[in-house]
Amino acid sequence: MNTEKVVVVGNGMVGYKFCEKLLKKDSSRTFEITVIGEEPRPAYDRVHLSEYFTNPNPDHLTMAPVEWYIDNSIALHLGDPVQKIDPSKKCIYTLQGKTFAYDHLVIATGSAAFVPTIPGVEKDGIFVYRTIEDLDLIISYAKKSKIGAVIGGGLLGLEAGKALMDLGLETHVVEFAPRLMPRQLDDTGSETLQTKLESLGIKIHLNKNTSFFDGAASVTALQFADNSRLEVDMVVISAGIKPRDEVAAKAGLEIGPRGGIVVNDALQTSQQNIYAIGECALHRSMIYGLVAPGYEMAEVVADRLTGGQKSFSAFDMSTKLKLIGVDVASFGDAFGSAEGATKICFEHKEKGIYKRLNISADKKHVIGGILVGDAEQYNMLLQMVNNKMVLPEHPEDLILGARGEGKSSGGAGVMQLPDEAVVCSCESVTKGALCLAVEEGNTDIGAIKKCTKAGTGCGGCVPMVNDLIKETLKAQGKVIKNVLCEHFDYSRQELLDLVKVGGLKKYDEILNQHGKGDGCEICKPAVASILASVWNEVILKQDTIQDSNDRYLANLQKGGTYSVVPRIAGGEITPEKLIVIGEVAKKYNLYTKITGGQRIDLFGAPVHLLPDIWEELVNAGFESGHAYGKSLRTVKSCVGSTWCRFGVQDSVSFAIRVEDRYKGIRSPHKVKMGVSGCVRECAEAQAKDFGIIATEKGWNLYVCGNGGAKPQHALLFAQDIDEETCIRYIDLIMMFYIKTAEPLTRTATWLNKMEGGLDYLKQVVIQDSLGINEQLLREMQLLVDTYHCEWKEVVENPELRKRFKTFVNSTDSDAEMAFEPMREMKKPSNWTV
Amino acid sequence: MNSMTTTDILWHRVATVQDIPENGGACALIDGKQIAIYNFTRRGEWYATDNLCPHRQQMILSRGMIGDMQGEPKVACPFHKKTFSLKSGACLSGDNYEIKTYPIKVEDGLIYVGLNV
Ligand code: SRM
Ligand SMILES: Cc1cc2nc3c(=O)[nH]c(=O)nc-3n(C[C@H](O)[C@H](O)[C@H](O)COP(=O)(O)OP(=O)(O)OC[C@H]3O[C@@H](n4cnc5c(N)ncnc54)[C@H](O)[C@@H]3O)c2cc1C
Ligand code: SF4
Ligand code: FES
């Protein structure tokens, strides 16, 4: 069979998507695909580029790794821009001097940031925001800068502004127009957004025309046409995009008057066998600067090449701003410019909310609108516009939410969408296709993403897809709830109540009475955690239902050894105890490290030596530090008023008190706390599940923060309270958390999902709105009173001790364990695969 | 260690029933080879597999939690929770791994594992 050569110029989001789509349609492998990209790495998710600031690992953004191209026989040629296209010879030439012949050429060169010709623009410290390399430059320059400005107050400019702020700069956004996001927002929308952004610390300058960049080699100030000036250390220009049409232009392809490669509805350029897709293409005088229309273009060309007849038509430009910490969305005819259109507006200045709906002249349909401050209804409203759905009797409900008893807002509406409604516009997945996938048994978002690809692009449709899953299952008569796993049709909270009411203490008993099958690695630890939270018995009574670390009361390491972390409450330790740790480590040849939690970790203990090691530690007055448990870990403290010249309260003493109170208590996930002696916050308490910060009058209590993969600051729960009140509040919140959170949910996520959020939690705890406080306090006191050191239980119980063995039939140690020297200690040999 | 022969399988006596925790596992060393033994009390069944998890080549499966997936008995590796059928050794969590399973029997409270000769 004859193969045809398809060459793709540009390996960006759209170029990649084109390859993916063509492979899928080209089942007989008629095409031989070559991809040429200018950037040094394979296509990555530019839409989520800003996430690079928090996770500077480019792999995390990669659309598909290099192996994907190899596996699919795509010749990938990176780091080498195409310099010339010769349509008559059907060849392209690269900068490095390579030549590739094509039968079909697909140009997907995207766009570059548009840089206005302002004098001084070439100075150091002026950047654009488009590629990973741009971000690397920005990050490194920001280290020596204090003040940053973004030129451009549009979608991207605001995203860049947020990034500068996150890099710790005093941040200014400079916009030429009289309002922010001028293409998406009206005046009130812009004002609301501006107030919000200013409260986040971003300074906004409207109506500012930059006349030159001041400074010698590097920029030091922006000079505006109105003679005002802004001192800056660095500038990010985000003033729009410029299609990368230079190579196409040289090849004689038709280019629009203001740039862009002209294409017809089949996305052909003025040369029939040359296509242009994505941000470089000019379709009916329009450049689409969004990824969804680009993907649709990729679909059309892949379809045409494989014999289809699809064509590209005008595409919806609705958008939702992400990342900035303020909801902003604009959809359909945002300004209500259609003939006879009327509007409904809602504005709540104090809360920073503005919503606008534009209604058609016949009052039957929503035609567009704007949401600032709360864009929860965005997906649904967009669907109403796109599907011309008829307005409900009280259209204001759409932006105000259904009010009054028994009315539900949110979820249910999705089922009224027609089957053809496109829910995921990046991957063009319709409601019908999604419902079908759910009916076929893909009942969670992960499965749906895998089989339909919905939600894998910009991710904006995920909430709606979740609603669809829920509602489809409901429509099938399936009761939707959070169940533990295939063995228990109960949520953690329900099971906890059943365990408690039934007085159940054994996993098998619980499985017999309330579950089915033989259990698994999901429900066993979840039930173990429930049992520990309710009865607080020795967990090793049922060792085989404990998770990896809990089973051996130590953390499992590479190579199969364990680490030992004794409790060092509040980080305070005597020299004598330090010496004991050192001696134990030396005797058992353990690697020692100071942890991020203010204590010392001893690594590399084989399972059969754990009880001996614990015995020595216990005899010296140590206890288990529960580093292995979903339980209280550490209460980090700063030195506080005893020594510190700024301290206003004794944070170490309070931290030790708190740690002693809650140590060993099992919970849905681990719990960390911190106590700082003054506002300087050296204990990083606001990054903890419970953070306590000293004030002149007492303590401020912060709740539900965490570090980890998705850091979130704790929220202020109560101010200037005394120690007793503080403990009482922690008792209540922690017990409420233990009883109601899903398995493996940190307090931050628990609060994020709680309806009513912090205000609700305050009502429960401070006003006792549920009338359960007395019970919660009693339950917490039981856990405090039944504390035991788990290591000591093993050390003193020969039956339990016997279980710490490497082999049942031999006293040999594990010959497969391998170590290598590292500095003056050792480390396990690396995974071999 | 006692051994008995049936056809081409060599049975090795490795432990007593009490040595293996209920609904859990333990590791036996047979001729220098690590074999995981599981006492699936709930089903009244015994299983034996490699102790080596093929994912990161860790000698650990005997310390994994056991259970079932739609009736198929399985063990979950403590490291990254890949799960394997105790019957066939197939990976049940969607990867292309496999572990070996071995014949196992209990007579008079003693456990025997069969290895090919
Ligand atoms: C030892 C230590 C690193 C160090 O050498 O400093 C550590 C080691 C581990 N961390 Fe951590 N974390 C350690 C401090 C932290 C911190 C810093 C802190 O506590 O101040 C954080 C971020 C703060 C937070 O949790 O909010 C942290 C966030 C995590 C997370 C992410 C949690 C999240 O909610 O996103 C995990 C994963 C998890 O728990 O599921 C994790 C899981 C782990 C585990 C337990 C993985 C595991 O299950 O085996 C690591 C065990 C290593 C080992 O073999 O012992 N570790 N871990 C630190 C022990 C502190 C201690 O004394 O107990
Ligand atoms: C920070 C940021 C945030 C964004 N947020 C959103 C969002 O929220 N929603 C949304 O819909 N869109 C967003 N976008 C826009 C979206 O990223 C683009 O629409 C999309 O990347 C366009 O894809 P493309 O393939 O056409 O262009 P690109 O992704 O730019 O890819 C083009 C590729 O071609 C290469 N190239 C150019 N010329 C040549 C040549 N001569 N030879 C070889 N290779 C060449 C370029 O180096 C580039 O790698 C955002 C963009 C940025 C920068
Ligand atoms: S950050 Fe990752 S690698 Fe480091 S200790 Fe924590 S879990 Fe292990
Ligand atoms: S080593 Fe077993 S799952 Fe990774």
Side-chain angles (χ1 to χ4, degrees):
Chain A
M1 188 182 55
N2 270 344
T3 57
E4 292 180 50
K5 291 190 168 65
V6 176
V7 172
V8 184
V9 184
N11 185 222
M13 296 186 79
V14 174
Y16 161 77
K17 186 57 65 175
F18 167 75
C19 295
E20 191 190 290
K21 291 189 184 260
L22 185 62
L23 283 175
K24 211 159 161 196
K25 292 181 199 283
D26 178 29
S27 47
S28 55
R29 292 283 173 269
T30 317
F31 297 107
E32 203 178 285
I33 309 175
T34 303
V35 176
I36 295 145
E38 164 194 67
E39 291 186 73
R41 60 188 95 246
Y44 53 89
D45 182 355
R46 213 178 294 286
V47 170
H48 293 103
L49 190 61
S50 298
E51 286 174 17
Y52 186 71
F53 286 112
T54 42
N55 183 358
N57 173 3
D59 295 345
H60 152 82
L61 294 172
T62 304
M63 309 284 299
V66 171
E67 294 80 55
W68 180 85
Y69 298 86
I70 298 171
D71 290 348
N72 288 298
S73 311
I74 296 178
L76 182 64
H77 185 68
L78 294 176
D80 187 14
V82 170
Q83 281 256 292
K84 187 178 151 195
I85 302 171
D86 185 340
S88 60
K89 293 209 179 97
K90 295 211 269 185
C91 272
I92 57 143
Y93 306 88
T94 72
L95 183 67
Q96 287 174 12
K98 296 231 159 62
T99 306
F100 297 89
Y102 64 80
D103 297 304
H104 311 274
L105 186 68
V106 178
I107 305 181
T109 46
S111 64
F114 167 68
V115 180
T117 47
I118 301 171
V121 74
E122 71 293 338
K123 289 190 201 312
D124 282 351
I126 302 178
F127 303 90
V128 296
Y129 196 81
R130 178 90 198 165
T131 64
I132 288 186
E133 284 67 28
D134 293 337
L135 266 62
D136 283 334
L137 293 173
I138 292 174
I139 292 172
S140 94
Y141 204 88
K143 291 200 180 114
K144 51 181 183 181
S145 308
K146 290 209 175 66
I147 308 174
V150 175
I151 297 198
L155 210 60
L156 279 186
L158 293 178
E159 210 177 303
K162 171 73 168 26
L164 289 187
M165 197 178 73
D166 289 345
L167 288 172
L169 301 192
E170 176 187 320
T171 302
H172 299 260
V173 170
V174 178
E175 168 61 49
F176 176 75
R179 56 176 197 265
L180 290 169
M181 296 177 66
R183 296 213 283 176
Q184 287 93 5
L185 298 184
D186 59 13
D187 288 340
T188 321
S190 164
E191 278 159 32
T192 313
L193 177 60
Q194 179 170 356
T195 314
K196 271 270 176 180
L197 292 177
E198 282 167 347
S199 76
L200 291 175
I202 298 181
K203 302 196 170 61
I204 310 287
H205 310 266
L206 300 173
N207 290 312
K208 290 285 180 196
N209 185 0
T210 310
S211 37
F212 63 91
F213 295 103
D214 208 355
S218 335
V219 63
T220 53
L222 303 184
Q223 179 67 47
F224 301 117
D226 61 5
N227 274 330
S228 59
R229 216 177 133 78
L230 178 65
E231 308 285 332
V232 295
D233 303 314
M234 66 186 291
V235 176
V236 174
I237 296 187
S238 183
I241 56 173
K242 185 170 78 32
R244 297 279 307 264
D245 54 15
E246 62 277 5
V247 179
K250 265 201 307 192
L253 302 181
E254 185 185 346
I255 304 293
R258 279 183 296 151
I261 308 168
V262 175
V263 291
N264 61 18
D265 287 356
L267 302 169
Q268 285 160 319
T269 63
S270 51
Q271 286 280 338
Q272 205 191 327
N273 62 340
I274 304 184
Y275 299 84
I277 57 178
E279 286 190 347
C280 63
L282 183 70
H283 176 259
R284 300 197 200 165
S285 314
M286 179 84 183
I287 294 280
Y288 289 95
L290 293 174
V291 72
Y295 280 8
E296 178 62 20
M297 292 179 181
E299 168 72 25
V300 169
V301 177
D303 180 70
R304 292 257 166 180
L305 287 182
T306 49
Q309 285 301 315
K310 282 198 179 154
S311 47
F312 184 82
S313 51
F315 207 91
D316 181 56
M317 288 291 276
S318 306
T319 37
K320 197 169 158 193
L321 182 63
K322 53 185 194 297
L323 278 172
I324 189 102
V326 186
D327 271 2
V328 184
S330 132
F331 55 97
D333 177 359
F335 300 105
S337 46
E339 178 88 52
T342 53
K343 62 180 181 184
I344 305 178
C345 293
F346 167 77
E347 199 185 342
H348 193 313
K349 275 233 161 71
E350 207 170 298
K351 284 199 178 152
I353 295 177
Y354 169 67
K355 301 181 186 185
R356 164 179 180 162
L357 276 191
N358 301 319
I359 311 281
S360 63
D362 62 7
K363 311 234 172 314
K364 285 210 178 100
H365 308 284
V366 196
I367 54 173
I370 293 168
L371 303 169
V372 180
D374 169 13
E376 215 193 299
Q377 299 105 329
Y378 168 73
N379 277 315
M380 195 58 212
L381 289 170
L382 177 61
Q383 290 293 345
M384 295 195 68
V385 174
N386 290 349
N387 295 292
K388 298 220 160 40
M389 288 165 69
V390 177
L391 276 177
E393 187 187 356
H394 302 290
E396 62 275 17
D397 285 355
L398 293 173
I399 49 175
L400 298 176
R403 284 137 306 168
E405 288 293 303
K407 286 196 186 171
S408 78
S409 63
V414 294
M415 290 313 266
Q416 279 145 33
L417 293 175
D419 276 352
E420 325 67 79
V422 175
V423 173
C424 170
S425 50
C426 295
E427 295 286 344
S428 327
V429 188
T430 61
K431 177 206 163 199
L434 285 167
C435 292
L436 192 70
V438 176
E439 281 158 18
E440 282 167 356
N442 303 290
T443 53
D444 61 66
I445 184 77
I448 288 285
K449 277 185 176 174
K450 226 180 186 165
C451 83
T452 65
K453 294 210 143 225
T456 56
C458 73
C461 63
V462 170
M464 189 164 232
V465 174
N466 270 325
D467 283 343
L468 268 176
I469 298 175
K470 238 179 17 217
E471 295 300 323
T472 311
L473 288 175
K474 234 190 237 165
Q476 287 180 319
K478 296 203 181 129
V479 190
I480 318 307
K481 45 185 209 177
N482 289 321
V483 299
L484 276 189
C485 66
E486 68 173 83
H487 304 104
F488 287 97
D489 284 333
Y490 295 103
S491 68
R492 182 180 178 281
Q493 181 175 356
E494 288 167 329
L495 202 59
L496 187 141
D497 290 338
L498 290 170
V499 163
K500 194 165 175 142
V501 171
L504 304 175
K505 297 195 168 178
K506 293 196 68 170
Y507 174 78
D508 266 347
E509 227 170 36
I510 298 168
L511 188 59
N512 288 341
Q513 286 192 26
H514 300 294
K516 53 178 182 279
D518 303 318
C520 68
E521 72 284 0
I522 297 168
C523 58
K524 285 183 173 180
V527 169
S529 157
I530 290 175
L531 287 172
S533 292
V534 174
W535 310 121
N536 208 18
E537 291 184 347
V538 177
I539 65 166
L540 287 196
K541 273 191 179 172
Q542 300 182 68
D543 57 348
T544 59
I545 61 167
Q546 306 297 334
D547 211 340
S548 318
N549 291 343
D550 279 324
R551 167 112 191 246
Y552 293 98
L553 307 178
N555 293 50
L556 176 61
Q557 310 294 339
K558 262 188 183 169
T561 62
Y562 289 84
S563 71
V564 175
V565 187
R567 183 166 303 288
I568 299 180
E572 182 183 88
I573 186 165
T574 60
E576 288 73 23
K577 281 187 156 174
L578 270 177
I579 289 169
V580 171
I581 291 191
E583 279 170 349
V584 169
K586 213 156 135 188
K587 174 165 170 191
Y588 293 93
N589 188 18
L590 305 172
Y591 169 88
T592 48
K593 178 180 181 301
I594 311 280
T595 72
Q598 291 189 335
R599 39 195 196 172
I600 300 170
D601 202 343
L602 312 172
F603 294 84
V607 70
H608 65 274
L609 289 180
L610 286 171
D612 299 348
I613 294 171
W614 297 337
E615 185 160 21
E616 298 201 18
L617 291 170
V618 167
N619 287 342
F622 283 105
E623 297 179 329
S624 160
H626 290 91
Y628 47 81
K630 300 302 178 209
S631 59
L632 177 76
R633 293 284 173 88
T634 62
V635 180
K636 187 168 177 172
S637 81
C638 72
V639 63
S641 62
T642 48
W643 291 90
C644 175
R645 65 202 160 105
F646 291 117
V648 292
Q649 306 281 352
D650 178 0
S651 49
V652 179
S653 299
F654 197 26
I656 293 173
R657 178 176 174 195
V658 171
E659 182 154 348
D660 276 336
R661 181 168 181 82
Y662 301 108
K663 65 186 176 188
I665 292 178
R666 303 273 157 164
S667 39
H669 206 311
K670 59 192 175 193
V671 171
K672 298 181 177 182
M673 306 195 189
V675 184
S676 281
C678 81
V679 287
R680 288 169 191 76
E681 243 285 70
C682 299
E684 299 172 308
Q686 288 167 95
K688 307 291 179 214
D689 298 271
F690 293 89
I692 305 172
I693 302 176
T695 68
E696 298 282 348
K697 297 182 204 136
W699 304 92
N700 283 350
L701 174 63
Y702 291 78
V703 298
C704 303
N706 69 216
K710 257 186 97 203
Q712 184 169 327
H713 275 153
L715 302 171
L716 182 60
F717 185 84
Q719 267 172 300
D720 295 325
I721 51 179
D722 59 21
E723 286 194 14
E724 300 317 312
T725 313
C726 189
I727 296 258
R728 182 186 151 87
Y729 286 168
I730 299 177
D731 274 8
L732 289 166
I733 299 172
M734 184 133 144
M735 206 60 219
F736 192 45
Y737 164 64
I738 288 175
K739 296 185 76 171
T740 60
E742 294 299 319
L744 300 182
T745 305
R746 288 287 291 269
T747 55
T749 316
W750 169 67
L751 185 67
N752 293 346
K753 285 190 180 165
M754 189 182 291
E755 233 168 277
L758 186 66
D759 287 338
Y760 176 77
L761 188 63
K762 282 185 183 165
Q763 281 167 22
V764 171
V765 171
I766 303 175
Q767 274 106 39
D768 195 10
S769 63
L770 299 177
I772 55 170
N773 283 7
E774 207 186 308
Q775 187 194 347
L776 293 177
L777 291 172
R778 223 178 323 116
E779 287 164 341
M780 178 54 82
Q781 196 57 46
L782 173 92
L783 295 181
V784 173
D785 292 343
T786 50
Y787 167 79
H788 49 263
C789 169
E790 295 172 340
W791 289 351
K792 198 163 165 214
E793 302 281 346
V794 174
V795 167
E796 291 175 351
N797 180 334
E799 271 308 302
L800 291 180
R801 212 167 161 146
K802 249 182 33 200
R803 297 191 202 156
F804 288 78
K805 264 193 187 168
T806 305
F807 300 116
V808 267
N809 60 342
S810 161
T811 49
D812 289 3
S813 53
D814 181 353
E816 313 281 333
M817 256 184 223
F819 299 94
E820 290 162 15
M822 187 184 56
R823 287 178 285 280
E824 279 137 81
M825 294 193 277
K826 64 168 181 185
K827 66 172 180 105
S829 297
N830 214 342
W831 314 118
T832 47
V833 275
Chain B
M1 190 189 302
N2 283 4
S3 306
M4 10 186 247
T5 324
T6 23
T7 61
D8 54 351
I9 292 178
L10 187 63
W11 290 95
H12 299 262
R13 195 181 89 196
V14 291
T16 68
V17 166
Q18 289 78 31
D19 289 334
I20 321 288
E22 292 193 358
N23 291 311
C27 184
L29 192 64
I30 307 177
D31 292 346
K33 194 173 164 60
Q34 297 194 17
I35 307 280
I37 296 166
Y38 310 92
N39 177 5
F40 212 139
T41 332
R42 207 181 150 77
R43 299 165 71 109
E45 289 164 3
W46 288 82
Y47 296 98
T49 70
D50 284 335
N51 194 37
L52 185 76
C53 174
H55 173 229
R56 288 285 183 255
Q57 309 286 318
Q58 298 290 300
M59 282 295 184
I60 201 71
L61 291 177
S62 57
R63 295 180 225 164
M65 273 178 273
I66 59 174
D68 81 297
M69 180 174 148
Q70 265 128 39
E72 182 81 5
K74 66 170 186 177
V75 59
C77 176
F79 272 96
H80 312 97
K81 301 281 162 68
K82 307 271 178 203
T83 58
F84 302 92
S85 162
L86 291 173
K87 279 195 170 146
S88 68
C91 180
L92 301 176
S93 41
D95 294 284
N96 244 340
Y97 300 117
E98 205 177 358
I99 56 172
K100 276 214 199 70
T101 60
Y102 301 91
I104 181 167
K105 64 184 181 185
V106 177
E107 279 167 15
D108 299 330
L110 298 176
I111 305 162
Y112 298 84
V113 173
L115 296 192
N116 285 340
V117 273

